[in-house]
């Protein structure tokens, strides 16, 4: 009943958060990736790698976008890892000068695997040494070590632009099929994701970007919110920075998250660091960090709302 995979920079991995937003970038072809490393204080970090390639076919008042993505979530201590491969499609249409709406669909497969030999059991405890002896037979029986399950995702979004302010609101749900032959797979049948981004242009080269991300699953809920500030230095270069806070709603506070990043021509890079505020803070030094990188190959023929660069 663990919490689902999450990213501190929740607005970057578009296909993972909401398939509707895969085309929200200023170009026709984009490659992007995300890397997250956490729990290193236990000498067995949990690492998450995500990547996608997106093609956008734009027209005067609407566009289609198609994306292929993968995710690898690994805990090396148990040789546990989760692989996801997905295909996404999105359709966005401009309804007026101020409103752009869209729908998205995603289908994929998830493979989870674990090495049961890395686990220890009560029967292997040796009171004479005060340690577990893995050579002692544990007499436990398990089902498959590799489990495959399909998943489906749906999403919707609306962008509302008024004068110097842009509102971006989206809602998505993900359903992961249950595989009853597994003894260990975390089973969260539904995940619901809600995101809100606001872009307010204070000056010609200064933009405020409040953000709110919320995730609900069968047994856990979390909210990640805060504000970023973007400074436009030149036509091809801008930098941003800010602070987020993630908390567990029905649990305790999780982390304070400073975020910095930059756009350098066709490159976009972001870095965030989670300063843990939960009970894990009692376990020593933490290095919870996340890196995002994207590259846009081709300029668009038309200009649309973009949560990446604020097309005002």
């Amino acid at each position: 009943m663990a919490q689902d995979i999450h990213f501190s920079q929740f607005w970057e991995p578009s296909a993972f958060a909401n398939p509707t937003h895969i085309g929200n970038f200023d170009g026709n072809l984009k490659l992007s990736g995300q890397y997250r490393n956490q729990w290193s204080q236990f000498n067995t970090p949990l690492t998450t790698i995500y990547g996608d390639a997106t093609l956008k076919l734009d027209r005067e008042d609407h566009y289609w976008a198609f994306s292929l993505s993968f995710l690898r979530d690994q805990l090396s201590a148990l040789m546990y890892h989760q692989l996801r491969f997905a295909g996404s499609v999105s359709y966005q249409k401009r309804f007026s000068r101020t409103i752009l709406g869209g729908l998205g669909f995603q289908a994929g497969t998830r493979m989870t695997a674990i090495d049961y030999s890395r686990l220890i059991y009560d029967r292997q405890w040796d009171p004479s040494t005060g340690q577990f002896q893995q050579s002692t037979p544990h007499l436990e029986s398990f089902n498959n070590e590799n489990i495959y399950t399909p998943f489906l995702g749906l999403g919707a979004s609306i962008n509302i632009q008024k004068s110097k302010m842009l509102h971006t609101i989206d809602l998505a749900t993900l359903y992961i099929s249950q595989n009853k032959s597994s003894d260990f797979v975390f089973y969260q049948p539904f995940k619901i994701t809600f995101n809100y981004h606001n872009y307010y242009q204070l000056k010609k080269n200064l933009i405020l970007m409040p953000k709110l991300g919320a995730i609900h699953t069968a047994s856990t809920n979390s909210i990640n919110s805060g504000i970023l500030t973007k400074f436009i230095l030149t036509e091809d270069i801008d930098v941003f920075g800010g602070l987020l806070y993630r908390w567990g709603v029905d649990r305790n506070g999780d982390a304070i998250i400073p975020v910095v990043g930059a756009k350098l021509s066709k490159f976009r890079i972001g870095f965030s660091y989670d300063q843990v505020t939960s009970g894990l803070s009692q376990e020593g030094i933490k290095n919870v960090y996340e890196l995002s990188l994207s590259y846009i190959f081709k300029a668009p023929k038309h200009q649309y709302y973009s949560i990446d660069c604020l097309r005002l």
Side-chain angles (χ1 to χ4, degrees), residues 37-47 74-79 118 280 283-288:
N37 183 298
Q38 56 188 334
W39 297 0
S40 58
Q41 68 267 36
F42 302 114
N43 299 318
T44 55
L46 175 64
T47 59
Q74 176 172 307
L75 181 60
S76 56
L78 300 179
M79 289 301 291
R118 298 294 186 96
L280 286 177
E283 302 297 338
I285 299 174
K286 293 153 293 298
N287 291 297
V288 185

Side-chain angles (χ1 to χ4, degrees), residues 81-203:
H81 67 266
Q82 175 180 174
L83 288 174
R84 296 189 187 186
F85 295 93
S88 304
V89 59
S90 171
Y91 177 73
Q92 298 270 5
K93 179 175 176 59
R94 184 186 297 277
F95 294 96
S96 70
R97 293 180 60 86
T98 61
I99 297 178
L100 178 76
L103 297 172
F105 173 76
Q106 182 179 92
T109 183
R110 179 183 71 162
M111 190 274 282
T112 50
I114 194 169
D115 184 353
Y116 288 117
S117 67
R118 298 294 186 96
L119 304 179
I120 55 177
Y121 310 89
D122 292 344
R123 195 174 185 279
Q124 295 176 325
W125 174 257
D126 186 349
S128 63
T129 62
Q131 296 180 344
F132 288 93
Q133 302 295 330
Q134 287 192 296
S135 59
T136 303
H138 54 69
L139 302 182
E140 300 284 348
S141 62
F142 301 100
N143 292 329
N144 300 330
E145 291 190 347
N146 300 309
I147 302 297
Y148 294 89
T149 51
F151 62 85
L152 297 173
L154 294 173
S157 71
I158 185 169
N159 297 333
I160 304 172
Q161 184 178 357
K162 292 188 176 181
S163 183
K164 295 183 178 182
M165 183 176 294
L166 171 66
H167 304 275
T168 297
I169 304 168
D170 70 79
L171 181 68
T173 182
L174 181 74
Y175 173 75
I176 300 178
S177 177
Q178 184 179 17
N179 191 318
K180 296 182 179 180
S181 66
S182 170
D183 290 311
F184 67 89
V185 171
F186 303 143
Y187 178 52
Q188 297 284 5
F190 279 103
K191 181 180 75 169
I192 299 174
T193 303
F194 171 81
N195 293 312
Y196 170 72
H197 308 263
N198 178 272
Y199 299 82
Y200 182 72
Q201 189 169 21
L202 288 178
K203 298 181 180 179

